[in-house]
Amino acid sequence: MKLGPTHPIVSLARRFERCFGKRAYAHLCLWTRLLEDPQLEPLQPLSADGALLTARGSDGTIDMRSGRPMLLVSSTSWTADEDFSILLAALKLYDAAATSQVVARSAGTAALPPLAVLITGKGPQREHYEQEIAQLGLQQVRIATAWLSAEDYPLLLGSADLGVSLHTSSSGLDLPMKVVDMLGCGTPVCAYRFSCIHELVTGANGLVFEDAGELARQIQDLAASQRSASDGRYQKLLEGAAAFRSVDWTTNYQRVLELF
């Protein structure tokens, strides 16, 4: 919750940390749940044999299905902490650009692909945004909302071409776990810019944006790059996401402990 710096709870927390924080020789934050549950496994990208948007040829090579849409995913708790009007406005801009390029297909010029957008999560503002989505009247963009099980969620992320995070951080200091999930599945991310997001989204594995126009341009550029044999921008982000997930949770945890 964005209580603000003058809220009594925030003031109390500030005084507590000021008093006791400086007396510690080290600070370590972790979730006990991650250490206690032996069933927790690293997120994995979906195998090519199981993907809905790719196909394995008779010679074993993996190719995109002809004419498939670009799959974009986002997850949210549907609260005021995330302004989903930014994403909807960006999708309207993308739809206008893609619709205007439909004629180019018949002329043999590469056009922007259609978008399939799946927004996962549940929360108080979900119905409000679903009503907005129903009134958009988009032609080249299809948007669906869903609540996925813990088993299906990583499969969706592993199938996606691009993830979008609208997390803004009430403190400006906490990092969105949804971005960790997306990168952990090898999916590049477009994330809303705030003070510490660069610690996760580095430019090598994703992009940051400040408004709907910038997000729309990023989606358009990456969609075009993904379909181009000569434009390697999207491929570089895929490689960056793969590098991110090459360091698993246990390895990173051990590195942090060595600092103490």
Side-chain angles (χ1 to χ4, degrees), residues 15-76:
R15 289 195 293 270
F16 180 88
E17 292 178 1
R18 184 177 297 157
C19 176
F20 296 103
K22 61 186 178 182
R23 289 173 168 76
Y25 74 92
H27 297 271
L28 176 64
C29 178
L30 66 104
W31 294 323
T32 304
R33 169 69 172 162
L34 288 174
L35 298 180
E36 293 178 346
D37 192 343
Q39 297 181 350
L40 286 175
E41 298 290 342
L43 294 175
Q44 299 289 338
L46 190 63
S47 68
D49 289 329
L52 297 175
L53 304 177
T54 60
R56 185 183 296 275
S58 57
D59 60 353
T61 59
I62 301 169
D63 295 302
M64 297 178 183
R65 294 189 185 278
S66 177
R68 76 170 183 89
M70 184 180 191
L71 178 58
L72 185 150
V73 299
S74 186
S75 60
T76 179

Side-chain angles (χ1 to χ4, degrees), residues 241-258:
F244 178 93
R245 68 175 305 274
S246 66
V247 180
D248 61 22
W249 191 92
T250 302
T251 301
N252 201 44
Y253 170 65
Q254 292 297 333
R255 286 181 181 177
V256 173
L257 286 184
E258 290 173 3

Side-chain angles (χ1 to χ4, degrees), residues 162 189-191 193 207-210 213-223:
L162 184 65
V189 177
C190 290
R193 185 191 302 274
L207 304 171
V208 295
F209 60 88
E210 292 185 348
E214 189 172 13
L215 175 58
R217 289 190 295 272
Q218 291 174 356
I219 298 173
Q220 291 178 42
D221 290 345
L222 295 177

Side-chain angles (χ1 to χ4, degrees), residues 39-246:
Q39 297 181 350
L40 286 175
E41 298 290 342
L43 294 175
Q44 299 289 338
L46 190 63
S47 68
D49 289 329
L52 297 175
L53 304 177
T54 60
R56 185 183 296 275
S58 57
D59 60 353
T61 59
I62 301 169
D63 295 302
M64 297 178 183
R65 294 189 185 278
S66 177
R68 76 170 183 89
M70 184 180 191
L71 178 58
L72 185 150
V73 299
S74 186
S75 60
T76 179
S77 56
W78 296 110
T79 65
D81 284 341
E82 294 182 326
D83 184 1
F84 254 79
S85 64
I86 295 174
L87 176 57
L88 298 187
L91 294 177
K92 288 178 65 176
L93 292 172
Y94 182 96
D95 184 74
T99 301
S100 68
Q101 292 185 16
V102 168
V103 178
R105 290 195 181 99
S106 61
T109 304
L112 291 172
L115 279 186
V117 181
L118 184 56
I119 305 172
T120 71
K122 57 183 178 180
Q125 293 189 340
R126 176 174 171 175
E127 184 177 352
H128 165 75
Y129 280 110
E130 286 178 334
Q131 292 174 355
E132 283 196 21
I133 291 169
Q135 298 173 3
L136 290 177
L138 305 179
Q139 299 182 49
Q140 298 299 314
V141 178
R142 293 293 180 267
I143 307 172
T145 60
W147 169 251
L148 300 181
S149 67
E151 294 77 19
D152 289 337
Y153 180 59
L155 295 180
L156 170 66
L157 296 185
S159 301
D161 298 299
L162 184 65
V164 172
S165 170
L166 292 162
H167 178 87
T168 58
S169 172
S170 56
S171 66
L173 299 174
D174 62 294
L175 294 170
M177 287 306 300
K178 70 186 71 180
V179 173
V180 177
D181 292 341
M182 292 168 182
L183 294 176
C185 285
T187 301
V189 177
C190 290
Y192 190 86
R193 185 191 302 274
F194 64 94
S195 58
C196 64
I197 190 62
H198 64 277
E199 295 183 27
L200 275 182
V201 183
T202 62
N205 54 30
L207 304 171
V208 295
F209 60 88
E210 292 185 348
D211 54 41
E214 189 172 13
L215 175 58
R217 289 190 295 272
Q218 291 174 356
I219 298 173
Q220 291 178 42
D221 290 345
L222 295 177
S225 173
Q226 186 188 41
R227 266 57 177 180
S228 172
S230 58
D231 187 339
R233 288 175 295 174
Y234 179 76
Q235 183 60 37
K236 288 181 179 178
L237 293 186
L238 279 178
E239 293 169 358
F244 178 93
R245 68 175 305 274
S246 66

